[in-house]
Amino acid sequence: QLGQLQGASIFLKDNRFDNSSTAPLSLCTLRSIKEFDLNDTELCPAERNALSDFYDLTKGAEWTNDNWLDEYESYCDWNGVTCDEGENHVIKLELDNNGLSGRLSESIGKFTFIEKLDLSDNDIKGSIPTEIGLLSELSYLRLSYNAFTG
């Protein structure tokens, strides 16, 4: 179990991960480790890590359509995620009416290239993170029919 690596030093540079250009998601999202050489954004893309955090806090295991968190599959192929050509930046996140609950993560601010965010018709609670204000490319925001407060 990777969770048992907490507090460990992990060095994995210059490896090929199952013919993928990225490291396994579970390695990139380990927390509380001593040292880690995969902070490289090509091996562990910040947007993939932010999507993983988003999934966890919105109770992704309970979503209606869920093909997220594959160790090697590109996050651009995950349900509701659209990326731009070439750079693999998330430009759309469309998860309306998909059974999301829990709360929104502050890591939503890491989607700096996102143009469309539609999380309507779900059951997301809590406050809307102020980090949404950092999304300068955002031109479409739909959060209606949730349980936001504040």
Side-chain angles (χ1 to χ4, degrees), residues 27-40:
L27 286 177
C28 293
T29 56
L30 280 175
R31 291 168 178 43
S32 302
I33 53 175
K34 188 176 177 182
E35 268 181 282
F36 191 38
D37 69 346
L38 289 182
N39 291 328
D40 182 310

Side-chain angles (χ1 to χ4, degrees), residues 2-149:
L2 291 175
Q4 295 176 3
L5 294 174
Q6 301 300 336
S9 297
I10 302 171
F11 303 101
L12 298 168
K13 279 270 194 224
D14 297 319
N15 283 289
R16 293 283 303 159
F17 297 103
D18 198 25
N19 296 321
S20 175
S21 60
T22 58
L25 178 63
S26 56
L27 286 177
C28 293
T29 56
L30 280 175
R31 291 168 178 43
S32 302
I33 53 175
K34 188 176 177 182
E35 268 181 282
F36 191 38
D37 69 346
L38 289 182
N39 291 328
D40 182 310
T41 56
E42 285 185 36
L43 292 172
C44 292
E47 288 176 303
R48 182 175 69 159
N49 294 348
L51 285 168
S52 175
D53 190 43
F54 174 86
Y55 178 90
D56 289 341
L57 290 177
T58 57
K59 301 182 181 179
E62 300 172 6
W63 293 358
T64 306
N65 295 310
D66 169 28
N67 72 331
W68 283 39
L69 304 188
D70 183 277
E71 287 289 324
Y72 298 100
E73 181 182 337
S74 171
Y75 55 95
C76 296
D77 295 329
W78 293 352
N79 178 59
V81 177
T82 304
C83 295
D84 60 359
E85 295 293 324
E87 296 297 319
N88 288 336
H89 292 296
V90 176
I91 57 170
K92 292 181 185 176
L93 188 55
E94 299 171 286
L95 293 168
D96 53 302
N97 196 26
N98 198 42
L100 281 68
S101 59
R103 66 179 184 85
L104 285 184
S105 167
E106 294 80 16
S107 65
I108 203 154
K110 297 207 189 279
F111 305 121
T112 55
F113 295 90
I114 199 163
E115 300 166 4
K116 181 177 183 178
L117 179 60
D118 187 350
L119 305 176
S120 62
D121 300 301
N122 286 292
D123 191 30
I124 305 169
K125 297 172 178 60
S127 60
I128 298 170
T130 58
E131 288 77 4
I132 284 184
L134 301 173
L135 306 176
S136 60
E137 300 298 317
L138 190 64
S139 60
Y140 183 93
L141 175 63
R142 187 166 183 232
L143 301 175
S144 50
Y145 303 104
N146 278 288
F148 289 112
T149 58

